[in-house]
Amino acid sequence: MAAILGIDPGYGRCGWAIVNDACSYINCGVIETSPLDDSQRLLQVYCSLKEIINTYHPISCGIEKLFFNKNVKTALSVAQVLGIIKLIMAQHNIPYAEYTPVQVKLSITGYGRASKNQLSTMIQKILKIPSLVIYDDAFDALAIALCHCLASSRYILINSNNQT
């Protein structure tokens, strides 16, 4: 089975998750960066993602789309992390798609404004896993990975139906 990577970009804590192309849970976690200077934090994210990629060999990746809120400083820091993520995807020839939180919720629950609890319940049912006690960032990455898996499955199904 092929692995699919989900990433919730973050500066202090970047969530990641791996599901397979049959939408089954494999692993998830967070990349926590030390409160060092910017370049060292970005290097930590880069090296950790490279290790995850070398361990699981994902064939594609779903990334949470940057949401620009009122805090410009935070948005700029997350944008830098997003640049690192896109760089490493390009270096490893891993195609990626970006999803908004509404798209993730809609894909998994059928309702774009679903609560965290509703999302968690559906993820557990779809992935057939017991309750996970994980950082919110890892949970978000898992939701993104599952959304990307479901979107990829629909794309493959639509394309396979159109080839007849």
Side-chain angles (χ1 to χ4, degrees):
M1 296 260 166
I4 294 174
L5 176 60
I7 301 176
D8 178 28
Y11 188 66
R13 189 178 292 136
C14 181
W16 64 272
I18 300 285
V19 298
N20 67 25
D21 55 357
C23 298
S24 295
Y25 174 80
I26 296 176
N27 201 357
C28 67
V30 294
I31 300 166
E32 290 197 72
T33 60
S34 306
L36 306 169
D37 65 9
D38 287 348
S39 60
Q40 290 301 308
R41 282 186 148 183
L42 296 174
L43 182 60
Q44 283 181 313
V45 171
Y46 177 86
C47 292
S48 296
L49 279 176
K50 187 173 182 176
E51 187 175 315
I52 292 164
I53 288 167
N54 289 335
T55 300
Y56 297 102
H57 309 286
I59 60 164
S60 66
C61 178
I63 304 168
E64 183 173 82
K65 193 171 203 152
L66 179 60
F67 175 72
F68 189 83
N69 204 355
K70 294 176 184 172
N71 191 337
V72 175
K73 186 177 180 184
T74 301
L76 291 175
S77 297
V78 175
Q80 290 175 340
V81 171
L82 193 53
I84 293 296
I85 293 166
K86 290 178 178 184
L87 169 67
I88 199 163
M89 293 305 129
Q91 288 177 330
H92 288 84
N93 295 314
I94 300 171
Y96 65 87
E98 295 181 77
Y99 303 95
T100 65
V102 170
Q103 288 174 308
V104 171
K105 291 175 181 179
L106 185 61
S107 173
I108 295 171
T109 68
Y111 179 57
R113 298 194 188 277
S115 70
K116 201 79 149 173
N117 192 36
Q118 290 169 319
L119 189 61
S120 177
T121 299
M122 287 305 298
I123 287 173
Q124 290 171 7
K125 287 180 181 183
I126 293 168
L127 296 177
K128 298 178 181 90
I129 54 174
S131 176
L132 288 174
V133 180
I134 55 177
Y135 283 115
D136 279 349
D137 309 273
F139 173 81
D140 291 345
L142 185 58
I144 294 159
L146 182 56
C147 170
H148 188 63
C149 180
L150 293 169
S152 299
S153 297
R154 282 192 290 270
Y155 175 78
I156 292 167
L157 181 62
I158 290 167
N159 280 344
S160 65
N161 287 338
N162 288 338
Q163 292 180 4
T164 56

